């Protein structure tokens, strides 16, 4: 693919547009702190994955959203002073210096891509409509506003449709998840020993990833943020500043500070597409590398203009060394070297092959036009969960599990079924000790993509309690799903999401406090299964079970 071809991908967004998009989320303090903390972990994880994959606009958007959520909103949550909330907040806040550093590094890349697109679009304006997209004008308009599909000359993408490449999507995900586990120190033998049934993680140990990360302690974080607060960026991104001394938000025009770098940025451009702005200074030659006239030795392929010596100016002429007789065996024939420069191999002269990243376009769009990434669900997971829940089902008690996984190539893959500690009744199931589940997700680089629960005595539907619970999942991840299993009825299961609008905004504004209550709006949720929705079931996708319930 030609990197100057504007027909591949949609118009890139400027950093200001991405900033505005990042801040446009529905904050609601009535949603429990644990849901917001879980959402923060999710978007931080997504930012790291998008960064590794070279999807810089999407990485910038979600990392900016993470910093906004932590610095501006979570500190004001009504539950923020509770011990469980403070425990969850500590690792979230420690990441802020590194996230700000990444944002400062990504911003010039984002702006350079946007400026390049503006320049090229002047001559290719007729080609600026994305190719290969659905002919529907509505679909094309939605896709043009999706940062994940942005045109890029530094990291071009092969944009595919998940419904037509389901096997490829799963294969790519399995390879990538295997690579991440190897990088985390999980051996192939250990991976093969992890069975879908019976696997139970040790909640007190992890892969060591958090311990290996460089995080600042609270005191050092305060000092560094205060010391760099005056070193302001020229952007107008922040409106309020977190005051660590008073533990509150104070009004201000806040810009991202410059943070001392602790480690290099972990993403790579294709070698043939690196931009070089201006001449790079060459390293000094060792003193012994001088030619027979006393001038610094020059590479056979280095042009003469690299040496800016004016031989007509006495001040610039270095002194000639005394011409002492030298043994012919020790004197290199510099003239012959210059006359016969070595021939470079053909493969060095040839331009390196350009590697395209794969990006799967959204499988559907919300009612408001926001994209929904494809979600791949293991086909066997539902039956495995019902088996684990069978004891509760016989007693008429509900049970829930978390659907966790990761993102690969702009698609979501569920790879873990986590059974958290929970309090179960005939009509509800409430998770407990949320930090234990978050620790497991952090240690295993997982994000929460949805949840599954049973209706042992009711039909397959979303109760008002279920709808409010789903709002907590979907407020920061529109693709989040809820699977309801009603084994005694037909249909016995369903995969749902809230509509937006009207479902999500109505539930976020609902102030009813009863466990079950009616809603005045219809069409609050819809089915998300393929082909009408964004969820694909795959028999080839494997998963693990982690049961965190005490005594099991």
């Amino acid at each position: 693919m030609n990197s100057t071809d504007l027909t591949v991908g949609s118009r890139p967004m400027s950093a200001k547009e991405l900033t505005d998009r990042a801040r446009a989320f529905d904050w609601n303090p009535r949603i429990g702190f644990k849901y917001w903390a879980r959402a923060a972990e999710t978007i931080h994880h997504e930012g790291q994955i998008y960064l590794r994959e070279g999807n810089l606009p999407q990485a910038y958007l979600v990392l900016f959203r993470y910093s906004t959520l932590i610095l501006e909103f979570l500190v004001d949550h009504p539950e923020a002073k509770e011990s469980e909330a403070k425990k969850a907040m500590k690792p979230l806040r420690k990441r802020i210096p590194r996230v700000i550093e990444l944002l400062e590094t990504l911003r010039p890349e984002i702006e350079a891509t946007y400026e390049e697109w503006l320049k090229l679009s002047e001559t290719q304006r007729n080609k600026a409509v994305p190719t290969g997209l659905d002919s529907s004008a509505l679909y094309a308009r939605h896709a043009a506003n999706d940062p994940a599909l942005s045109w890029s000359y530094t990291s071009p993408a092969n944009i595919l449709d998940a419904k037509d490449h389901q096997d490829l999507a799963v294969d790519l995900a399995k390879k990538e998840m295997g690579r991440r586990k190897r990088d985390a120190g999980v051996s192939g033998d250990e991976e093969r020993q992890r069975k879908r049934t019976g696997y139970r993680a040790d909640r007190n140990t992890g892969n060591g990833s958090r311990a290996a990360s460089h995080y600042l302690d609270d005191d050092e974080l305060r000092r560094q943020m205060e010391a760099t607060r005056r070193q302001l960026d020229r952007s107008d991104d922040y409106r309020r500043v977190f005051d660590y001394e008073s533990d509150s938000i104070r009004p201000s025009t806040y810009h991202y500070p410059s943070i001392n770098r602790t480690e290099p940025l972990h993403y790579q451009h294709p070698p043939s597409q690196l931009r070089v702005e201006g001449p790079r200074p060459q390293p000094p030659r060792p003193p012994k590398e001088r030619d027979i006239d006393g001038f610094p030795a020059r590479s056979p392929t280095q042009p003469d203009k690299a040496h800016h010596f004016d031989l007509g100016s006495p001040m610039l002429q270095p002194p000639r060394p005394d011409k002492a007789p030298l043994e012919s065996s020790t004197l290199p024939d510099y003239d012959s070297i210059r006359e016969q420069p070595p021939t470079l191999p053909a493969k060095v002269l040839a331009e390196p092959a350009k590697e395209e990243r794969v990006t799967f376009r959204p499988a559907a769009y919300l009612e408001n036009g926001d994209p929904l990434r494809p979600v791949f669900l293991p086909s066997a997971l539902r039956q495995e969960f019902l088996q684990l829940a069978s004891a509760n089902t016989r007693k008429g008690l509900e049970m829930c599990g978390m659907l966790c996984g990761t993102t690969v190539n702009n698609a979501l893959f569920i790879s873990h079924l986590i059974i958290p500690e929970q309090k179960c009744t005939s009509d509800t199931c409430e998770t407990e000790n949320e930090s234990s589940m978050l620790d497991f997700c952090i240690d295993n680089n997982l994000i929460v993509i949805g949840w599954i629960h049973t209706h042992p005595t009711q039909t397959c539907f979303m109760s008002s309690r279920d709808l409010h619970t789903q709002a907590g999942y979907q407020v920061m991840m529109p693709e989040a799903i809820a699977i309801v299993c009603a084994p005694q009825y037909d249909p016995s299961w369903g995969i749902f999401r809230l509509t937006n609008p009207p479902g999500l905004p109505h539930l976020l504004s609902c102030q009813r406090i009863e466990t079950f209550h009616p809603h005045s709006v219809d069409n609050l949720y819809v089915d998300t299964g393929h082909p009408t929705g964004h969820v694909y079931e795959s028999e080839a996708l494997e998963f693990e079970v982690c049961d965190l319930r005490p005594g099991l």
Side-chain angles (χ1 to χ4, degrees), residues 134-193:
D134 195 322
S135 58
S136 165
L138 180 62
Y139 189 101
R141 185 167 69 251
H142 291 334
N145 295 321
D146 187 354
L149 305 183
S150 294
W151 173 87
S152 173
Y153 69 97
T154 59
S155 184
N158 186 14
I159 301 174
L160 302 177
D161 198 324
K163 71 178 181 181
D164 297 328
H165 301 86
Q166 295 184 43
D167 293 339
L168 173 63
V170 173
D171 288 343
L172 291 175
K174 291 168 69 174
K175 291 178 181 178
E176 174 62 15
M177 288 188 286
R179 184 195 65 77
R180 294 177 193 174
K181 287 183 178 180
R182 289 192 298 272
D183 290 347
V186 179
S187 67
D189 290 340
E190 181 182 354
E191 178 63 21
R192 284 188 291 271
Q193 289 174 1

Side-chain angles (χ1 to χ4, degrees), residues 242-261:
F242 179 58
D243 189 339
Y244 287 95
E245 299 302 327
S246 62
D247 210 26
S248 63
I249 295 290
R250 59 182 175 83
S252 176
T253 300
Y254 182 76
H255 309 270
Y256 281 122
S258 297
I259 301 296
N260 295 331
R261 300 185 184 279

Side-chain angles (χ1 to χ4, degrees), residues 68-172:
T68 301
L69 179 61
I70 301 304
L71 288 174
E72 294 195 30
F73 294 99
L74 278 185
V75 292
D76 268 349
H77 194 280
E79 302 171 13
K81 302 298 183 181
E82 297 179 5
S83 59
E84 191 72 14
K86 288 183 177 180
K87 182 179 179 181
M89 187 67 169
K90 189 172 183 179
L92 300 176
R93 206 166 65 183
K94 284 183 177 180
R95 295 193 185 107
I96 289 295
R98 176 60 176 159
V99 169
I100 292 176
E101 178 186 335
L102 289 173
L103 290 169
E104 288 184 332
T105 306
L106 288 175
R107 191 181 185 96
E109 295 280 346
I110 300 297
E111 291 296 338
T113 297
Y114 180 70
E115 294 296 330
E116 185 73 10
W117 186 90
L118 290 177
K119 181 174 66 176
L120 293 176
S121 64
E122 292 297 326
T123 58
Q124 300 188 36
R125 192 167 298 278
N126 292 333
K127 301 179 181 179
V129 177
T131 303
L133 295 176
D134 195 322
S135 58
S136 165
L138 180 62
Y139 189 101
R141 185 167 69 251
H142 291 334
N145 295 321
D146 187 354
L149 305 183
S150 294
W151 173 87
S152 173
Y153 69 97
T154 59
S155 184
N158 186 14
I159 301 174
L160 302 177
D161 198 324
K163 71 178 181 181
D164 297 328
H165 301 86
Q166 295 184 43
D167 293 339
L168 173 63
V170 173
D171 288 343
L172 291 175

Side-chain angles (χ1 to χ4, degrees), residues 251-529:
S252 176
T253 300
Y254 182 76
H255 309 270
Y256 281 122
S258 297
I259 301 296
N260 295 331
R261 300 185 184 279
T262 58
E263 56 181 283
L265 183 63
H266 298 296
Y267 75 90
Q268 296 180 348
H269 296 302
S272 62
Q273 298 172 339
L274 293 175
R275 302 189 313 283
V276 180
E277 299 179 358
R280 296 181 180 272
Q282 299 295 323
R285 296 278 186 177
K288 66 179 182 180
E289 289 194 25
R290 309 185 72 85
D291 64 17
I292 57 177
D293 293 324
F295 287 87
R298 175 168 57 90
S299 168
T301 59
Q302 186 177 0
D304 291 335
K305 65 181 180 180
H307 300 297
H308 301 287
F309 294 118
D310 184 0
L311 299 181
S313 174
M315 297 180 64
L316 296 179
Q317 292 180 349
R320 294 179 177 275
D322 296 334
K323 294 187 176 182
L326 297 174
E327 296 292 336
S328 60
S329 60
T330 63
L331 180 63
D333 188 354
Y334 287 94
D335 291 334
S336 64
I337 294 176
R338 287 174 179 153
E339 292 174 359
Q340 300 178 0
T343 303
L344 294 176
K347 64 179 181 179
V348 175
L349 294 174
E351 183 179 351
K354 299 178 181 179
E355 296 183 2
E356 292 182 348
R357 58 183 174 89
V358 172
T359 292
F360 290 101
R361 66 167 56 98
Y365 287 88
L366 287 175
E367 292 74 13
N368 65 4
D370 288 346
L372 291 172
R373 292 167 292 179
V375 173
F376 286 84
L377 171 70
S379 300
L381 185 145
R382 189 175 67 256
Q383 289 301 322
E384 181 66 32
F385 172 72
L386 286 173
Q387 181 63 32
L388 292 170
S390 60
N392 275 29
T393 301
R394 288 191 296 269
K395 298 176 184 177
L397 301 177
E398 288 194 5
M399 179 171 150
C400 69
M402 301 295 114
L403 307 175
C404 301
T406 189
T407 176
V408 179
N409 300 324
N410 203 44
L412 295 161
F413 298 86
I414 295 171
S415 61
H416 286 71
L417 168 62
I418 300 179
I419 309 299
E421 295 185 40
Q422 54 194 279
K423 182 179 180 181
C424 304
T425 71
S426 59
D427 299 315
T428 63
C429 52
E430 186 71 24
T431 59
E432 297 181 329
N433 193 10
E434 190 79 9
S435 61
S436 175
M437 188 186 71
L438 286 178
D439 286 344
F440 180 84
C441 290
I442 294 171
D443 290 339
N444 291 274
N445 294 313
L446 300 172
I447 58 177
V448 179
I449 303 175
W451 62 304
I452 182 172
H453 73 289
T454 56
H455 280 184
T457 61
Q458 301 181 74
T459 58
C460 181
F461 75 108
M462 293 280 281
S463 68
S464 59
R465 178 65 175 267
D466 296 340
L467 293 173
H468 280 276
T469 300
Q470 177 64 13
Y473 288 89
Q474 204 170 314
V475 67
M476 293 295 276
M477 177 179 277
E479 299 88 358
I481 60 174
I483 302 179
V484 180
C485 299
Q488 297 186 24
Y489 295 88
D490 185 23
S492 61
W493 63 280
I495 309 175
F496 307 110
R497 69 164 174 87
L498 301 179
T499 56
N500 186 9
L504 182 61
H506 172 77
L507 290 162
L508 292 177
S509 63
C510 177
Q511 300 186 27
R512 301 282 295 270
I513 61 174
E514 306 96 315
T515 300
F516 299 102
H517 55 267
H519 293 276
S520 59
V521 176
D522 296 327
N523 190 32
L524 292 176
Y525 66 98
V526 294
D527 188 276
T528 65

